[in-house]
């Protein structure tokens, strides 16, 4: 079965639908590695009144037998950096450094599961880097989904997809 590496755009309106899509893919037999920034991880753990080290977004899904892995990476800024107040500096860093950081984690994930093929990189259409990374790794396909994922989820739910996926959805 395929391994989907899911990397949402680092905002809640993008993360939540990608969480739902990840669970749906895993329920269809995909291995899923969900990757998000440490900042969003800390933000979500704080919202649940949990220490960041104790927060695992997919612990319950794994208990039900789904193969969903969860990992985080730095966006290049300290956790205490105010991304809203310093919006321009944050996005300058995201545009300049984020693609290389994502590339590193995609390559690391693929190396850790070398025997698993094919890989599918799942990202928001708003992200400019996914196709370049998928092409660079030469091992994966790239699925760009709109920021709400509703179109893809509807296709999966209805079974109406005419798309040729590397494995059945």
């Amino acid at each position: 079965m395929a391994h989907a590496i899911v990397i949402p755009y680092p905002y809640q309106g993008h993360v939540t639908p990608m969480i739902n899509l990840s669970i749906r893919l895993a329920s269809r037999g995909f291995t899923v590695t969900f990757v998000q920034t440490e900042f969003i991880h800390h933000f979500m753990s704080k919202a649940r009144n949990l220490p960041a080290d104790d927060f695992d977004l997919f612990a319950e899904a794994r208990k039900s037998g789904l193969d969903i892995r969860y990992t985080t990476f730095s966006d290049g800024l300290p956790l205490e950096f105010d991304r809203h107040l310093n919006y321009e500096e944050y996005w300058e860093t995201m545009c300049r450094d984020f693609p290389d950081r994502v590339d590193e984690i995609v390559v690391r994930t693929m190396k850790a599961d070398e025997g698993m093929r094919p890989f599918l990189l799942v990202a928001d259409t708003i992200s400019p880097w996914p196709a370049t990374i998928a092409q660079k790794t030469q091992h994966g396909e790239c699925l760009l989904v709109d920021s709400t994922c509703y179109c893809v989820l509807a296709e999966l739910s209805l079974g109406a997809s005419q798309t040729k996926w590397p494995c059945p959805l």
Side-chain angles (χ1 to χ4, degrees):
M1 191 52 73
H3 186 155
I5 303 170
V6 179
I7 307 173
Y9 206 61
Y11 278 100
Q12 185 175 359
H14 299 260
V15 173
T16 303
M18 288 292 218
I19 290 168
N20 295 332
L21 179 60
S22 295
I23 292 169
R24 181 69 177 170
L25 288 170
S27 71
R28 296 292 188 120
F30 280 77
T31 295
V32 175
T33 298
F34 189 90
V35 182
Q36 73 178 350
T37 64
E38 292 168 356
F39 177 77
I40 296 296
H41 173 79
H42 280 264
F43 180 80
M44 292 176 78
S45 67
K46 195 185 292 186
R48 289 169 176 77
N49 293 318
L50 291 171
D53 291 342
D54 294 342
F55 177 63
D56 183 343
L57 192 56
F58 295 100
E60 292 300 315
R62 277 194 302 282
K63 285 180 187 175
S64 73
L66 299 180
D67 188 3
I68 301 182
R69 300 145 191 204
Y70 179 63
T71 189
T72 62
F73 70 106
S74 172
D75 62 9
L77 297 167
L79 292 175
E80 58 278 353
F81 181 83
D82 189 329
R83 285 150 179 81
H84 298 289
L85 182 64
N86 302 296
Y87 180 81
E88 288 182 22
E89 184 179 347
Y90 171 60
W91 281 106
E92 189 175 301
T93 300
M94 291 296 288
C95 291
R96 184 186 61 237
D97 301 335
F98 196 72
D100 288 337
R101 292 177 184 283
V102 171
D103 185 39
E104 286 176 27
I105 201 152
V106 167
V107 169
R108 189 174 342 129
T109 301
M110 291 175 77
K111 282 183 179 177
D113 280 344
E114 279 192 67
M116 190 174 293
R117 294 287 186 266
F119 282 91
L120 178 67
L121 180 59
V122 182
D124 287 287
T125 54
I126 197 168
S127 303
W129 46 262
T132 304
I133 292 172
Q135 188 175 37
K136 178 182 172 187
T137 60
Q138 299 178 2
H139 296 295
E141 298 294 326
C142 183
L143 171 62
L144 298 173
V145 295
D146 72 6
S147 59
T148 60
C149 298
Y150 291 127
C151 295
V152 173
L153 287 173
E155 254 190 297
L156 292 174
S157 297
L158 299 173
S161 177
Q162 299 299 314
T163 307
K164 301 295 183 214
W165 299 99
C167 45
L169 297 176

